[in-house]
Amino acid sequence: MTPDEHWLDPGPFLRGVAWLEHGRPVRADPADTARLPWDTGERAALPIGVRLEFTAGPGAHAVEVRYRAAVPGRADALRDLAHHFALWDRSGRLAEVVTEPAAEAVVRIGLPAGGGPFTLHPPEAQAPEVLGLRGVGGPLAPAPAAPRWVVHGDSITEGWWSTRPPHGWPAVAGRALGWDAVNLGYAGGACGELATAEQLSALPADALTLAFGTNCWSRAPFSAPLLYETTRAFLDIVRQGHPRTPLLLLSPVLRPDAERTPNRLGATLGALRDAMERAVRERIAAGDGRLVLLPGRDLLAPAHLADGLHPNDEGHRVLGLAVAEALRRGGLADAVMGAAAGAGTSAEPGARAEPGAIATRGDAADPADPADPAGLPV
């Protein structure tokens, strides 16, 4: 890129970014991936939930985005997969553009009237790096900063079986709350790994949500006492870095085949959920006034599950709105927004970072190539 092309630096426009590695958004600390399961590190290389948010000035009728994608190799089944961009405006209107696969390209997306703010989701599966953007017919400006909400979970949090990135439940809840959702959902992982808890503890956040536990039934089988102690330890570590940050824990949602079926250690998903919820309730009773429990069992019905495990689009919508409502009902949303607006100290969450703060590392290895999610567990 040369200066006379008038491309804007994408940095101020990016949202949903946890860490940067050599300028690319990644979803686990690149200086600390050796302690994570290999599949978590692989999933963390995909920029799930990373997006561009902007407003359009007078005359701007389209946005152009220049990007570089990690195009799969010649033998990869995803090599010829088209690149899909999804644009949302405040009213919920969706504009979509599908482009031919290319290692580096420029895509143009038309903008609805009204000036925005607009949210543009790039093709996550191709691990795109946004190189620049510019308005067509008028200027663009970064959207106002919003409270930074870090969400950790498994493939359900990552958004599996939603048909578009904007349909995953963290994106749904983030739009409902007006928050910057940072998606740290790891398909096949999120079994209470304490290395992840340490990374979350050090990551700037205005609010946090934890949504793990389902993979503790079969992927990495836990007993109920083990998940109880793991939940306690995970919360202890997260609270070391975020002693008063509003935090919601969502226990596992409905999984019909696991609710009453014992795993290798004799625990049903129902028993695991009960153990997890008990650990949270005990912490709340001990005085953690910025912690809220959202029991997941009855939030979704079987009709909301695309494959008996992962929600379909409607399931993600229902789940996202339930999380947003629980944050409001528990007083956490008011605490976050009050702090963001400079309210009194009674509404100010502790360990609060400036909205949009990003942890940066430049000395780790390049992120792994993206993997096809098909066939991986939750």
Side-chain angles (χ1 to χ4, degrees):
M1 274 185 298
T2 60
D4 61 349
E5 289 181 292
H6 305 297
W7 291 100
L8 300 172
D9 177 6
F13 296 84
L14 288 173
R15 301 292 186 269
V17 180
W19 290 270
L20 290 173
E21 182 182 28
H22 306 302
R24 297 180 69 104
V26 293
R27 299 187 304 120
D29 186 345
D32 191 33
T33 55
R35 294 194 301 147
L36 300 176
W38 72 268
D39 51 352
T40 295
E42 188 174 68
R43 301 306 301 176
L46 290 176
I48 305 297
V50 176
R51 59 208 182 275
L52 297 163
E53 295 192 352
F54 57 92
T55 58
H61 58 84
V63 57
E64 288 187 336
V65 178
R66 185 172 184 176
Y67 71 103
R68 179 184 300 126
V71 178
R74 290 182 180 276
D76 198 301
L78 297 182
R79 179 175 176 82
D80 296 326
L81 189 68
H83 294 184
H84 182 276
F85 290 78
L87 180 86
W88 286 71
D89 68 3
R90 177 171 287 177
S91 69
R93 290 176 295 183
L94 173 66
E96 299 178 297
V97 172
V98 178
T99 67
E100 295 300 318
E104 186 170 325
V106 174
V107 61
R108 176 180 291 199
I109 303 102
L111 299 177
F118 300 105
T119 300
L120 179 61
H121 293 260
E124 296 174 347
Q126 282 75 33
E129 177 185 4
V130 178
L131 304 175
L133 72 162
R134 60 188 177 189
V136 179
L140 304 179
R148 178 177 163 88
W149 176 41
V150 174
V151 186
H152 168 60
D154 47 40
S155 61
I156 295 173
T157 297
E158 201 179 72
W160 277 32
W161 284 95
S162 62
T163 59
R164 301 287 186 273
H167 294 164
W169 75 258
V172 171
R175 287 194 300 273
L177 293 163
W179 292 359
D180 176 12
V182 179
N183 189 319
L184 301 185
Y186 307 132
C191 294
E193 296 87 352
L194 298 187
T196 295
E198 290 183 319
Q199 293 188 13
L200 293 173
S201 181
L203 189 63
D206 295 295
L208 295 148
T209 291
L210 307 177
F212 65 89
T214 296
N215 284 332
C216 298
W217 178 69
S218 60
R219 173 72 168 175
F222 278 53
S223 66
L226 178 56
L227 187 54
Y228 168 80
E229 294 295 346
T230 298
T231 303
R232 285 168 50 90
F234 200 98
L235 288 170
D236 282 346
I237 291 173
V238 170
R239 276 299 189 221
Q240 290 173 18
H242 296 280
R244 297 185 66 245
T245 302
L247 191 161
L248 179 141
L249 187 141
L250 167 65
S251 65
V253 298
L254 175 69
R255 183 173 176 174
D257 68 327
E259 293 297 332
R260 298 182 180 180
T261 304
N263 65 9
R264 292 178 67 91
L265 296 179
T268 65
L269 183 60
L272 294 174
R273 185 186 295 112
D274 290 344
M276 193 174 203
E277 293 176 358
R278 179 163 59 90
V280 177
R281 290 191 176 101
E282 289 177 358
R283 188 178 186 97
I284 294 171
D288 192 335
R290 294 292 178 90
L291 175 62
V292 167
L293 171 66
L294 176 58
R297 168 62 177 81
D298 296 325
L299 297 179
L300 301 179
H304 291 130
L305 305 177
D307 59 352
L309 173 57
H310 302 92
N312 53 27
D313 280 347
E314 177 61 12
H316 276 285
R317 187 189 70 82
V318 169
L319 185 56
L321 294 180
V323 169
E325 177 58 25
L327 287 163
R328 294 191 187 102
R329 189 174 60 247
L332 301 188
D334 286 342
V336 170
M337 299 308 292
T345 55
S346 63
E348 187 173 335
R352 182 177 179 273
E354 289 302 312
I358 298 171
T360 305
R361 294 285 189 274
D363 53 358
D366 288 334
D369 287 337
D372 180 3
L376 287 177
V378 67

